Structures are given as structure tokens and as C-alpha cells.
Amino acid sequence: MATTLHDVAKLAGVSAKTVSNVVNDYPHIKQATKERVLAAIAELGYRPNLSARGLRSGRSGVISLIIPDLRNSYFAELADAVMHAADQLGLSVLIELSGGDRAREAELLRGARLRAVDGVLYSALHLGDEDLAVVEEVTIPMVLLGERMFNAPNDHVTMRNTEGARAATEHLIALGRTRIVAFGAHRADIVSSASLRLAGYRAALDAAGMVFDPALVREVPVWGRFDGAVAMRAMLDEGVAFDGIVAFNDALALGAMRVLSERGVAMPDEVAVIGFDDIDEGRYSLPSLSTIAPGREQIARTAVSLLIERIAGGVDDVPPRRVYADFELVRRESTATSPVGADSSAADVS
Amino acid sequence: MATTLHDVAKLAGVSAKTVSNVVNDYPHIKQATKERVLAAIAELGYRPNLSARGLRSGRSGVISLIIPDLRNSYFAELADAVMHAADQLGLSVLIELSGGDRAREAELLRGARLRAVDGVLYSALHLGDEDLAVVEEVTIPMVLLGERMFNAPNDHVTMRNTEGARAATEHLIALGRTRIVAFGAHRADIVSSASLRLAGYRAALDAAGMVFDPALVREVPVWGRFDGAVAMRAMLDEGVAFDGIVAFNDALALGAMRVLSERGVAMPDEVAVIGFDDIDEGRYSLPSLSTIAPGREQIARTAVSLLIERIAGGVDDVPPRRVYADFELVRRESTATSPVGADSSAADVS
DNA sequence: TTGAAAGCGCTAACAA
DNA sequence: TTGTTAGCGCTTTCAA
């Protein structure tokens, strides 16, 4: 079998506790002892049994990240950022995929796996304030990501959705666009990224004294490229007139742009497009895609930090914190004033 | 504290062992006993402590997936497929990112985390046969993914790189292209996806009686969109003439296509492009990108199955297995014979 | 079909 | 600064 603490202790001529102290960087150890132990560890190739440590200490050094899927670039890039943040703080990340399925979103919160991790970062698409009971049953530290479940008693990290959508819309208005589509709305009655972004869109129109036209609000329940393409195709077929699109995420925008190109609609001249998320792909599309960058790194770092604080304890009496990451308007060709190709070093490709 | 097996046992009026049997679906249990235990579990909200189980049984129910990063769509989609395959077999996946860093690729193989998991799926970019010593030190079951380390004593799942590249090249040759770029070559002296794909490219040229022109082999060390764009820009600036591109992955192809579009090069008329990986994004680019689909799902399912077999044991005397997944040539607009736009339901968007 | 006893490898609490 | 004792919650082994 694998070597244990005791094997090391025997070889080094010390007690198991001393070896444990060395392994855990306990400060008060005589240098000579430490070196002897370290030598024994190296000689035997000892590596601690994390299950035993976890059982004894109640800590596993692992956190869960629950997200819909990894095929979606936004979540893949978010997961990447979370893993780097966690790694720097000595934590491993166990990813669990809800598949955007409501039942599974709830199920994962109840699963046994959640007893094996120290904390969880949870990003739901469907679970909302009406499911608070499930959320409150979670006994380990949990930090919420995204827009759902605003009333849960947990720390919560999210972007400034409304302000971001407003900035995006104002950007198009400043370009002189008058018929701007809100692309990717959801059912209006629940708080979600979609409803917050729609509110920002409306606020921008109101502030500019523009009329809100419901015909320009396009519902797209799923925010993928495919869904964006289908919805845009339908919109064009219906003959709706528009000269700008605020897409509620980049994937939707990219799907829509593909259809606009097929139909020979010039971007940004005939239709200017801006998305949300700043996924890498948007830098290389044609035209490159203007977007609202949500502050992904900041979200990841903040979420992991808040979670670690809760895991460490000592903040039990601190009420739920809500952190809003800073967004940034990224201007690319899809909302440029000069036509595509005028600047051959376009986008940030160069 | 959380409820334990004993709490359940006490409430149900049975021994801990019986509860354990129920939890683990041990077959020979009287129905009445089982129901009583189940009721007690439900009443107390009992969930097993995975650390304790892991300590006792030597199994954690977790496997590691070591990949370069998640910003790269290929790996994100691969990870997604692996997680689904693992989930169906009751395993959780702990992802570790090597960042495409050679030292870290080795370090992760030695880490303590690898003692806490039952097995590992390992995809290296840099570690090769010259690092066999590190690989051989891994004591838990390990299945290799990708092209590196062909001589390691492990099961290995990969795509048919050479055949795939040959099919891609032959596809362009059939289109009448005569000056085809091999885009994304690496140092020739090591076995890698790049060298295998280059071999396939050469084989296709040879079979067609075409001359191999080293000027058409373009080295691009990193396979990202950005790198593809930079390399293509350089190539155009150098004035190399070509009418086809076999890009060694889709990201490279997409980066190159962006530059070709900027420069007004018509695709596929002036330059036909085909990539590798079949990432989702290629369906929505303009033109949509023809590609070699590597059989990602098959790779994921097979790798997880092989790993589980090794974990379960009983195959210790079975020599290392090598599985080659089936690839598929996916024809899209970037190698279509009719010009883009002729078919408005282009790509598989519709 | 069920129970009793033992102990996986580690660290917390305390003692020396 | 280091050692001793105990036990985390579970499953394995063996017995009944």
C-alpha cells in the first residue's frame, strides 16, 4: 500500500504528529527535525491521504462549481477564471453541470457530493426565489453567481446587468440608431439577466426620449448561437424593420450576425450590433463584435474570496454580501462608425 | 453536526452495517428493513460522508481530468463530453488546468490531489516520451488522451490524426486546389498532433502525385485564434501564393479566415479552408468552416470506460490499449463548390 | 439476512 | 518543541 504518515515517522525517528506538523507548515519545529522529516518524505515518496485528512479535519480543500454547461463559451471562460482564482488559494474545483435543467439544478444542491466539498459556487439559470427552500437547505458555505435568487441568504456576485444594457443601448443611440432590437428577452415576470437587461434597454430609450416599441423586443428563451440564428431569421422573414441590435449575450449576437450576413445586410451600416459577455470569439467574427465585458475575472476572484471567508468562518454574523462587478463597453467593428475593412488592422487581432 | 450512519441506524432500529447496505444497494436485504431505513434516512436528511467512505474503501468516486485550459473551445467541449460520460457512470470530475505549461504538466502528475482521486484522464501538450519517468510514477489508473507519449504503458485514446489530415487534404485536392497550405505545423522532431497531421497532409499530396513545397508548411506554435490571425497576416505580407488551407485546428482556421476576410480574399473561391475539431463556432462563422470532426463523444466515452475498467481492476494483466476514434469530414461553406450566399440556408444553422 | 468489532490515515486536544 | 491519545464516519471482515 501507499506510504503513510507513520512510515515517515518511523523512518525519521519522530512521532506521527511531528510529521503532520511538518506537512502542514506548523511554525514551531526545530529546523533539524524538519529536515529529517522532509528527507524521509522524499525518500518514501509520501503524499498525504486527502480522504483521511478530510475526515479528520472536516475540510477537503475542494469547492464545487455548479454551472449549466461547458459548451457555452461564457461558462467555459468563467470556469477557467474560477479555477485559476481557486488554484492560487490552494483549492481544487469540482465542476458539476446542471445542463440548464431546472430539476437537476435543484438536485445538485441536495446531492451527497455537496457534503464532500468545503463550499460551492452556484450559477443557476432556472432556480429562482420561488425555490428558496432548496437553497436554504444547503448547509455548506455557498456563494451565488449570476442573476437568479436575489433574495437568498447568501453572498452573491454578479455584474451590473441593467447599467450594462443601458450603456450598450446608449452606445447605439449615440450612433444615431432609432429602431433598436432588444434581442433575447425572456418571460417578463421573473428576475433574470434577461429582465434586468431589458430594463436597462428601456431606461436608455426613456432617457433619450425614444418610444419603446414592443415589436422590437424579441424573446429568445435559450441564449445560444443556434437560437440567435433562428430568431433572427424569423424576424427578417416577418419584415420587422430595425437598424440596431442589443443582443443579451454574444452567442445570440453571433448567431444573428451569421443570418444577417447571409441575407446581405451590411453591419454596422444597416444594422449595428452589440452583445454581452466579451467571449473570445467575438474578437474574430466578421465584423468583430462590440460587447459589454462583464468583469469575468473580477467576478471569479471575488466569488472565490467570499467563499473562502465563509469557509474559514469568523464571518458568521456578517450579513449576505452582494458584489457587483464593473462592466466595460468594448467597441469593435459591429458598432464602428467607419465601414468594415477601412481599417485592416481591425478588431484587437493585431 | 451532520447526521451519521449511526443516527440513522438508531432511528431505524438496525445496525450501522444494515444502513450501509441499504445505502450501497446491497441486494440481500429484507424489503421491510430497507423501507424502514429509507424512511429514517429521509427523516434525518442523511447524506453519506464521502471522506469517510473514501478513507475506508479507498475509492473517492472522483476522477481527475487534466487539460491545458478551458478557454480553448476544443478542450471545453471535450471536458463537457467527459463530464457527461462520467456522470452517467456515477463519477465526479475534478478538472485541473495545466495552462499548456510544461513544468505544470509534470507537477500535476505528482501532486497530492492525484492520491485523492480514483483515476486520471490526462491530456498533455508538451510532456512527451522523454518524460516517461514522470508518467510511470503515477500509481493510480491513468488513461492518456491526445497524441503525446505514445510509448507510455497506459491506455490511450486518440483520433486518427494522420488519416484525418489526409482526408482533409484530399478534399481540397478534389476541389482542384494545387497550392495547399499546411497551417499550424510544429517542430518536426516530436510526435504530436501537428506532426501526425503534417504526415497525413504529405501522404495526400504524394498519393495525388503533387509536389511537397516546404514554403506551404506554416509553423504556428500555439493553436489559438490570435496565433492563426498573426500567422496568416505574415503569410499574406510575405506574398506566398496559395489556394487552399488545411488548418491543424479550427481556432487557427478561424483566426486565419478573419484575416483573409479583412484582406478581401474570397472563400472558398480564392482560398478554400478546412480545419480540425468541429467546434461549435465553425458552424456560424462566415463562411461556415469545413472541418474534421474528431469523434469527441466517442473519445470521452471510451476514455472514461477504459479508466473505470482499470479502476475496477481485474484487467491488470491486460496490456495497454490504444483506441482510435472515428473521424468525420464535415463539409461546410469554406470548401463548398458554389459561392457563399447561393444557398441562404447555408451551414447547419437552419 | 443482519450485527459486532476493527481500523482506514489523519489531526485536534492535550500533555510533557 | 514534540509526543500521546482518541476518534472523525464509514466499510470490511467475520460471525451469527
Side-chain angles (χ1 to χ4, degrees):
Chain A
M1 273 304 289
T3 56
T4 74
L5 215 50
H6 290 94
D7 301 327
V8 176
K10 202 177 300 170
L11 181 64
V14 296
S15 76
K17 184 72 222 306
T18 301
V19 178
S20 173
N21 283 156
V22 171
V23 170
N24 292 291
D25 283 325
Y26 179 73
H28 310 294
I29 310 171
K30 202 163 41 171
Q31 188 60 25
T33 312
K34 188 168 180 173
E35 277 162 17
R36 209 143 30 89
V37 171
L38 254 15
I41 286 175
E43 183 176 338
L44 295 174
Y46 167 76
R47 287 178 310 184
N49 179 319
L50 268 24
S51 287
R53 179 182 284 175
L55 175 58
R56 181 67 251 217
S57 69
R59 295 276 168 76
S60 65
V62 178
I63 60 173
S64 267
L65 171 66
I66 300 181
I67 52 176
D69 71 289
L70 281 173
R71 314 190 78 87
N72 181 317
S73 301
Y74 174 74
F75 289 113
E77 293 183 16
L78 176 66
D80 192 280
V82 165
M83 298 191 60
H84 280 108
D87 189 63
Q88 291 198 326
L89 296 162
L91 292 175
S92 294
V93 179
L94 193 93
I95 298 181
E96 305 201 74
L97 268 22
S98 65
D101 178 72
R102 189 195 169 80
R104 194 163 158 77
E105 282 185 350
E107 185 190 316
L108 287 175
L109 243 27
R110 283 190 278 247
R113 198 96 268 164
L114 272 204
R115 268 205 48 185
V117 299
D118 297 342
V120 55
L121 260 24
Y122 186 69
S123 177
L125 242 33
H126 300 289
L127 232 54
D129 283 333
E130 60 284 13
D131 304 289
L132 275 188
V134 184
V135 174
E136 283 168 357
E137 264 176 30
V138 175
T139 50
I140 62 171
M142 174 160 74
V143 171
L144 267 14
L145 298 174
E147 287 61 45
R148 307 288 287 124
M149 299 186 296
F150 270 98
N151 294 314
N154 297 287
D155 293 334
H156 197 146
V157 183
T158 179
M159 70 166 296
R160 296 190 185 276
N161 282 283
T162 305
E163 294 85 340
R166 177 167 177 166
T169 309
E170 285 174 343
H171 178 51
L172 296 191
I173 293 173
L175 256 39
R177 307 300 161 133
T178 56
R179 292 192 51 78
I180 300 169
V181 176
F183 195 66
H186 286 173
R187 283 172 48 206
D189 56 331
I190 53 176
V191 176
S192 63
S193 310
S195 62
L196 294 169
R197 291 174 192 183
L198 186 60
Y201 164 85
R202 286 198 73 151
L205 293 187
D206 289 349
M210 290 167 68
V211 181
F212 172 77
D213 180 355
L216 292 176
V217 175
R218 196 75 191 186
E219 279 201 18
V220 193
V222 177
W223 285 1
R225 293 182 192 90
F226 176 82
D227 315 277
V230 169
M232 181 47 60
R233 216 185 294 284
M235 208 161 172
L236 291 174
D237 289 343
E238 289 166 20
V240 181
F242 56 91
D243 56 12
I245 301 174
V246 173
F248 287 179
N249 84 352
D250 285 351
L252 280 174
L254 263 355
M257 281 164 58
R258 158 79 214 193
V259 171
L260 291 169
S261 293
E262 280 173 14
R263 301 288 179 99
V265 177
M267 295 171 280
D269 291 6
E270 292 178 71
V271 173
V273 184
I274 185 165
F276 257 86
D277 286 353
D278 190 26
I279 62 175
D280 196 43
E281 185 183 343
R283 300 169 184 233
Y284 298 86
S285 59
L286 201 72
S288 57
L289 178 62
S290 293
T291 193
I292 300 294
R296 186 165 28 238
E297 308 294 328
Q298 189 190 353
I299 290 174
R301 273 199 317 273
T302 307
V304 173
S305 300
L306 291 183
L307 187 59
I308 286 183
E309 277 184 43
R310 293 291 182 186
I311 291 170
V315 285
D316 295 353
D317 43 358
V318 174
R321 295 164 286 186
R322 185 148 306 159
V323 179
Y324 292 92
D326 303 316
F327 70 89
E328 191 189 349
L329 172 66
V330 181
R331 295 154 198 261
R332 299 208 184 98
E333 292 165 351
S334 66
T335 61
T337 38
S338 59
V340 176
D343 174 9
S344 77
S345 69
D348 25 299
V349 174
S350 53
Chain B
M1 274 302 288
T3 56
T4 75
L5 215 48
H6 291 93
D7 300 327
V8 176
K10 202 176 300 170
L11 181 62
V14 297
S15 77
K17 181 68 215 321
T18 301
V19 178
S20 174
N21 284 155
V22 171
V23 170
N24 292 292
D25 282 325
Y26 178 73
H28 310 294
I29 309 171
K30 202 162 42 169
Q31 189 58 26
T33 312
K34 187 166 180 175
E35 276 163 17
R36 207 142 33 88
V37 171
L38 253 17
I41 286 175
E43 183 175 339
L44 296 174
Y46 167 75
R47 287 177 312 183
N49 178 319
L50 267 23
S51 287
R53 178 182 285 176
L55 174 58
R56 184 64 251 223
S57 69
R59 295 277 167 75
S60 65
V62 178
I63 60 174
S64 266
L65 171 66
I66 301 181
I67 51 177
D69 70 289
L70 281 173
R71 313 188 79 87
N72 180 319
S73 300
Y74 175 74
F75 289 113
E77 293 184 14
L78 177 66
D80 192 280
V82 165
M83 299 191 62
H84 280 108
D87 189 63
Q88 292 199 325
L89 295 162
L91 292 174
S92 294
V93 180
L94 193 92
I95 298 181
E96 305 200 75
L97 269 21
S98 65
D101 178 72
R102 189 194 168 78
R104 193 163 158 75
E105 281 186 351
E107 185 190 316
L108 287 175
L109 243 27
R110 282 190 278 249
R113 195 52 70 189
L114 271 204
R115 266 204 51 182
V117 299
D118 297 342
V120 56
L121 260 24
Y122 186 68
S123 177
L125 243 32
H126 300 290
L127 233 53
D129 283 333
E130 61 285 12
D131 303 290
L132 276 188
V134 185
V135 174
E136 283 166 357
E137 265 176 29
V138 175
T139 52
I140 62 170
M142 172 159 75
V143 172
L144 268 13
L145 298 173
E147 288 61 45
R148 307 287 288 123
M149 299 186 296
F150 270 98
N151 294 315
N154 299 85
D155 294 333
H156 197 144
V157 183
T158 178
M159 70 166 297
R160 296 189 185 277
N161 282 283
T162 306
E163 294 85 341
R166 178 168 176 164
T169 310
E170 284 173 345
H171 178 51
L172 295 191
I173 292 172
L175 257 38
R177 307 301 161 132
T178 56
R179 293 191 52 76
I180 301 170
V181 176
F183 195 67
H186 287 173
R187 282 171 50 206
D189 57 330
I190 53 175
V191 177
S192 63
S193 310
S195 62
L196 294 169
R197 290 174 192 182
L198 185 60
Y201 164 85
R202 287 198 71 152
L205 294 187
D206 289 349
M210 291 168 66
V211 182
F212 172 76
D213 180 356
L216 293 176
V217 176
R218 197 75 192 186
E219 278 201 19
V220 193
V222 177
W223 286 0
R225 292 182 194 90
F226 176 82
D227 315 277
V230 169
M232 181 48 59
R233 216 185 296 282
M235 207 160 174
L236 292 173
D237 289 344
E238 289 165 22
V240 181
F242 56 90
D243 57 10
I245 301 175
V246 173
F248 287 179
N249 85 353
D250 285 350
L252 280 174
L254 264 353
M257 280 165 57
R258 159 78 215 195
V259 170
L260 290 170
S261 293
E262 280 173 13
R263 300 289 179 99
V265 176
M267 293 171 282
D269 292 5
E270 293 178 71
V271 174
V273 185
I274 185 165
F276 257 87
D277 287 354
D278 190 26
I279 62 175
D280 196 45
E281 185 183 342
R283 299 168 185 234
Y284 297 86
S285 59
L286 202 71
S288 56
L289 178 63
S290 294
T291 192
I292 300 294
R296 186 165 30 238
E297 307 294 327
Q298 189 190 352
I299 290 175
R301 272 199 317 271
T302 307
V304 173
S305 299
L306 291 182
L307 187 58
I308 286 184
E309 278 183 40
R310 294 290 181 187
I311 291 170
V315 285
D316 296 353
D317 43 0
V318 175
R321 293 163 288 187
R322 185 148 305 156
V323 179
Y324 293 93
D326 303 316
F327 69 89
E328 190 188 350
L329 172 66
V330 181
R331 296 154 198 261
R332 298 208 184 98
E333 293 165 350
S334 67
T335 61
T337 39
S338 58
V340 177
D343 174 10
S344 76
S345 69
D348 23 312
V349 174
S350 54

